Amino acid sequence: DAKTTQPPSMDCAEGRAANLPCNHSTISGNEYVYWYRQIHSQGPQYIIHGLKNNETNEMASLIITEDRKSSTLILPHATLRDTAVYYCIVINYGQNFVFGPGTRLSVLP
Amino acid sequence: EAGVAQSPRYKIIEKRQSVAFWCNPISGHATLYWYQQILGQGPKLLIQFQNNGVVDDSQLPKDRFSAERLKGVDSTLKIQPAKLEDSAVYLCASSQTPDRGSSYNEQFFGPGTRLTVL
């Protein structure tokens, strides 16, 4: 079973920041938080991952709370092409990904 | 860099028929995965190969599903005989072997094969 809880769907206005929450209250000290997304009719695509510190790359920012029980993926300026299902996954080194149902983000014009 | 290739993209078969899917991973990627994704759900891992050896096939329904990765490159996934509940998208992914102690574990996914069993 997935170790994370995400809202099933969210809307965001084009050009605004999209903030996607993820709850992982049972995360252990060695487990990482990974985010993938899946655009319609494509395979999932890696976005970002982190352990404790906040992370940023060219796609998104990952904010992890100090107690590590939740995190937020931030798309700073959402575009229509960001419409997708976003998966938050918690795994340890050497483990395989367990995908939950994710959050369906709809970016509206 | 070429991505993960899969074929066919779509397949429609009758129940009890057989079907095979093919995957060509990214060159140099030692690890290959097959996932099953039922409509509305996240992908579920069926089998993981490291080179041509099986690492994890705990969720593969071995009475009807089989997979092989001869020579540690291409892979095929077969279903024989198919059932209605096998209707899904079958995704192949590949990754490099993570460096020991590294947290980076990016899997690259192909476009998938959409199977419909009638």
Side-chain angles (χ1 to χ4, degrees):
Chain A
D1 290 333
K3 302 178 184 178
T4 62
T5 304
Q6 299 177 252
S9 64
M10 292 182 62
D11 291 339
C12 176
E14 187 178 19
R16 303 295 294 270
N19 298 286
L20 292 95
C22 180
N23 185 293
H24 32 80
S25 58
T26 61
I27 192 170
S28 67
N30 297 326
E31 290 181 318
Y32 290 81
V33 180
Y34 273 74
W35 283 84
Y36 274 71
R37 75 178 183 184
Q38 187 171 23
I39 294 170
H40 183 63
S41 295
Q42 297 182 22
Q45 173 194 24
Y46 167 83
I47 302 174
I48 199 167
H49 77 283
L51 182 63
K52 297 180 186 177
N53 300 322
N54 298 336
E55 302 287 343
T56 295
N57 63 21
E58 64 278 5
M59 289 182 69
S61 294
L62 173 60
I63 308 298
I64 302 174
T65 57
E66 194 168 340
D67 63 7
R68 303 210 320 124
K69 293 184 176 182
S70 66
S71 61
T72 301
L73 179 75
I74 301 173
L75 308 178
H77 305 288
T79 71
L80 299 179
R81 288 173 298 194
D82 293 321
T83 292
V85 177
Y86 288 76
Y87 299 102
C88 170
I89 305 162
V90 166
I91 63 166
N92 206 334
Y93 177 82
Q95 289 182 333
N96 284 316
F97 291 121
V98 177
F99 290 84
T103 295
R104 182 173 299 277
L105 175 69
S106 298
V107 180
L108 307 175
Chain B
E1 174 181 275
V4 176
Q6 290 189 247
S7 68
R9 290 296 313 276
Y10 304 91
K11 189 73 176 179
I12 301 174
I13 61 172
E14 302 272 340
K15 61 183 178 182
R16 291 188 288 274
Q17 285 186 322
S18 302
V19 64
F21 312 126
W22 173 82
C23 172
N24 181 244
I26 292 174
S27 177
H29 281 192
T31 309
L32 185 147
Y33 312 81
W34 283 101
Y35 289 84
Q36 179 193 58
Q37 185 171 24
I38 292 172
L39 187 64
Q41 300 180 17
K44 182 183 85 170
L45 179 69
L46 293 176
I47 189 167
Q48 176 190 352
F49 291 95
Q50 180 76 15
N51 296 309
N52 61 347
V54 175
V55 174
D56 182 355
D57 63 356
S58 57
Q59 299 199 82
L60 187 72
K62 298 179 186 63
D63 57 335
R64 298 183 300 104
F65 286 65
S66 64
E68 61 183 9
R69 192 184 183 197
L70 301 176
K71 302 180 182 177
V73 181
D74 294 6
S75 177
T76 56
L77 176 70
K78 297 179 182 178
I79 307 175
Q80 180 181 9
K83 293 185 175 181
L84 296 177
E85 59 260 36
D86 298 331
S87 293
V89 175
Y90 290 85
L91 294 160
C92 178
S94 70
S95 68
Q96 295 177 327
T97 303
D99 293 333
R100 190 120 186 109
S102 169
S103 66
Y104 183 63
N105 182 16
E106 180 177 357
Q107 294 184 20
F108 294 82
F109 285 80
T113 297
R114 181 176 298 278
L115 173 67
T116 301
V117 182
L118 302 176

